[in-house]
Amino acid sequence: MDVTLHLAQDPEADELLGRSALAALTGMLLDQQVPMEWAFKGPRTIADRLGADELDAHDIAARDPESFAALLSEKPAVHRYPGSMAGRIQQLCQYLVEHYDGDAEALWKDAGTGKELLKRLEELPGFGKQKAQIFLALLGKQLGVRPTGWREAAGAYGEAGSFRSVADITGPDSLTKVRAHKQEMKAAAKAAKETRTAKTVKTVKTAEK
């Protein structure tokens, strides 16, 4: 990997994401319940605190859990929930050590199809289907990893010209568009929930008559 990403909106953090498969995976893992830039700046922060130029799965997997959690908790914290995320990062690295000899890029080097790669991503600790599809879309759209059928496997996130996720962020303008899309999705989900609640209340009142 040696590309230019703009996910953290920070040159040093983005440089690491563009050349380190493990950093990119770690950023994707951290991307929940915090702003996207905060999540993807995390790998650079972790590397700096480890006194390293990049992340090493073998090193992280073998570290004392309490010490590693404390490292992520130093101010400014790497995540809103640094303790629990430290555990998830170590689980991810331990999985990579066990199944890929610590080489995160081996996840996709020999993946013959998008469906196969999606399955591998879904098997990673902390990666559900949605996160796996978004990362697959990022691989295809920005990192040049395009096994047969990758767009289909990535679902809506693989659509060309969309601004649905981090896979579509290439600078400040696209970040704004992706953030707007997320806000629209949240608003739609909230409205749907309110509608379901109103229907439930109406049903209960009808039954009580």
Side-chain angles (χ1 to χ4, degrees), residues 45-51 63 65-78 82 86:
T45 302
I46 295 171
D48 288 344
R49 291 179 184 177
L50 289 173
R63 285 184 173 267
E66 290 187 8
S67 297
F68 189 64
L71 182 141
L72 266 68
S73 300
E74 292 176 17
K75 295 185 182 298
V78 170

Side-chain angles (χ1 to χ4, degrees), residues 183-196:
Q183 291 301 321
E184 289 175 6
M185 293 299 98
K186 286 182 179 179
K190 182 179 179 182
K193 183 179 180 181
E194 290 175 349
T195 298
R196 289 195 301 270

Side-chain angles (χ1 to χ4, degrees), residues 97-194:
V97 168
E98 180 180 351
H99 296 274
Y100 297 97
D101 194 28
D103 181 8
E105 201 167 350
L107 268 165
W108 51 84
K109 278 182 179 177
D110 63 347
T113 66
K115 185 176 181 180
E116 179 185 355
L117 178 50
L118 178 63
K119 182 176 183 295
R120 292 184 184 185
L121 291 169
E122 287 183 292
E123 290 171 348
L124 294 174
F127 277 67
K129 183 175 182 178
Q130 183 183 50
K131 191 178 288 289
Q133 286 186 314
I134 291 173
F135 193 79
L136 176 54
L138 175 64
L139 288 172
K141 291 182 175 181
Q142 298 198 48
L143 298 175
V145 179
R146 296 162 184 157
T148 303
W150 71 270
R151 284 192 188 276
E152 292 78 4
Y157 301 107
E159 294 176 1
S162 65
F163 293 95
R164 295 176 179 274
S165 71
V166 298
D168 306 299
I169 296 174
T170 56
D173 290 342
S174 52
L175 173 61
T176 299
K177 292 179 180 179
V178 169
R179 185 161 284 137
H181 173 78
K182 286 180 175 290
Q183 291 301 321
E184 289 175 6
M185 293 299 98
K186 286 182 179 179
K190 182 179 179 182
K193 183 179 180 181
E194 290 175 349

Side-chain angles (χ1 to χ4, degrees), residues 18-91:
R19 65 177 167 83
S20 168
L22 179 55
L25 278 173
T26 300
M28 191 73 244
L29 181 65
L30 290 168
D31 187 23
Q32 55 187 68
Q33 298 180 301
V34 295
M36 289 175 282
E37 306 97 308
W38 184 0
F40 284 94
K41 189 176 180 179
R44 179 73 266 173
T45 302
I46 295 171
D48 288 344
R49 291 179 184 177
L50 289 173
D53 188 45
E54 58 184 277
L55 302 182
D56 182 283
H58 289 278
D59 175 53
I60 293 175
R63 285 184 173 267
D64 174 68
E66 290 187 8
S67 297
F68 189 64
L71 182 141
L72 266 68
S73 300
E74 292 176 17
K75 295 185 182 298
V78 170
H79 194 273
R80 181 176 295 164
Y81 305 106
S84 61
M85 293 311 298
R88 292 188 181 185
I89 292 171
Q90 283 196 291
Q91 289 172 2

Side-chain angles (χ1 to χ4, degrees), residues 184-207:
E184 289 175 6
M185 293 299 98
K186 286 182 179 179
K190 182 179 179 182
K193 183 179 180 181
E194 290 175 349
T195 298
R196 289 195 301 270
T197 300
K199 288 182 178 179
T200 300
V201 171
K202 183 178 180 180
T203 300
V204 171
K205 287 184 176 180
T206 300

Side-chain angles (χ1 to χ4, degrees), residues 1-24:
M1 288 174 56
D2 188 16
V3 299
T4 301
L5 295 178
H6 301 278
L7 306 182
Q9 302 291 298
D10 174 277
E12 291 187 359
D14 282 325
E15 186 274 334
L16 178 60
L17 294 171
R19 65 177 167 83
S20 168
L22 179 55

